[in-house]
Amino acid sequence: MTLTFGSLFAGIGGFDLGLERAGMTCKWQVDNEPFAQHILNKHWPDVPCYSDIRDVRGEEVEPVDILCGGFPCQDISDAGKKVGIDGERSGLWSEYARLVGEIQPRYVVVENVAVLRKRGLDRVLGDLSVLGYDAEWDRIRASDVGAPHQRARLWIV
């Protein structure tokens, strides 16, 4: 059985490409940036691409085994406003969590900046727990997988 996934905050399809290379099938994507949508449509022409997570409803998209994505980090990052997960952009986590509840995938994969540990991890883990998920997380640096820079990220499964 091939696992299927829906991609939130898809960007230009990094998660999507990796998951497909691991043998999974992308059923739909969500990203609000026109350039990203152009790239997604070029590489996944037969995959529906929705533009605004706030308009996506679980009952309107194809069910998936995995819901994945890295929600906006601008309000969480040390390079940003540092207002945390309730900021204007990073607050879109609540839409991610809403879709987890509506779709009820078997697995959820979340990525964000490592400083999420101080500015919102408790909220993400709490929301996932309320929705019935038991999460594991770890901080992984780009250099841990061979990149020539640190860029630490937090991964939650």
Side-chain angles (χ1 to χ4, degrees):
M1 178 182 109
T2 299
L3 291 174
T4 61
F5 66 92
S7 182
L8 303 177
F9 310 102
I12 60 170
F15 268 107
D16 311 46
L17 182 60
L19 293 175
E20 282 191 346
R21 286 183 176 174
M24 300 175 206
T25 301
C26 184
K27 292 299 184 177
W28 46 266
Q29 300 158 317
V30 179
D31 201 279
N32 71 338
E33 294 293 329
F35 177 76
Q37 292 172 0
H38 174 75
I39 300 299
L40 294 171
N41 288 326
K42 178 181 179 186
H43 294 286
W44 290 273
D46 299 323
V47 173
C49 184
Y50 303 93
S51 64
D52 192 334
I53 191 170
R54 294 170 288 206
D55 296 331
V56 176
R57 298 290 171 254
E59 65 272 5
E60 297 170 355
V61 295
E62 186 170 348
V64 291
D65 299 304
I66 303 167
L67 194 55
C68 69
F71 66 96
C73 66
Q74 289 88 339
D75 302 307
I76 297 167
S77 174
D78 281 334
K81 297 178 181 181
K82 302 179 189 175
V83 296
I85 198 164
D86 290 318
E88 182 180 342
R89 303 276 310 270
S90 299
L92 289 172
W93 161 254
S94 63
E95 294 294 327
Y96 194 139
R98 174 186 58 80
L99 283 174
V100 170
E102 290 176 8
I103 295 168
Q104 298 182 333
R106 290 172 55 194
Y107 305 100
V108 178
V109 179
V110 180
E111 175 271 342
N112 212 287
V113 293
V115 76
L116 176 67
R117 291 181 299 180
K118 298 179 189 175
R119 298 188 188 115
L121 180 60
D122 55 342
R123 166 86 172 278
V124 172
L125 296 176
D127 289 349
L128 290 172
S129 178
V130 166
L131 293 167
Y133 293 86
D134 179 27
E136 297 288 331
W137 67 95
D138 202 356
R139 178 181 154 271
I140 303 172
R141 299 170 303 189
S143 60
D144 294 335
V145 293
H149 57 90
Q150 294 293 314
R151 196 167 188 241
R153 309 303 280 179
L154 192 68
W155 294 86
I156 305 164
V157 179

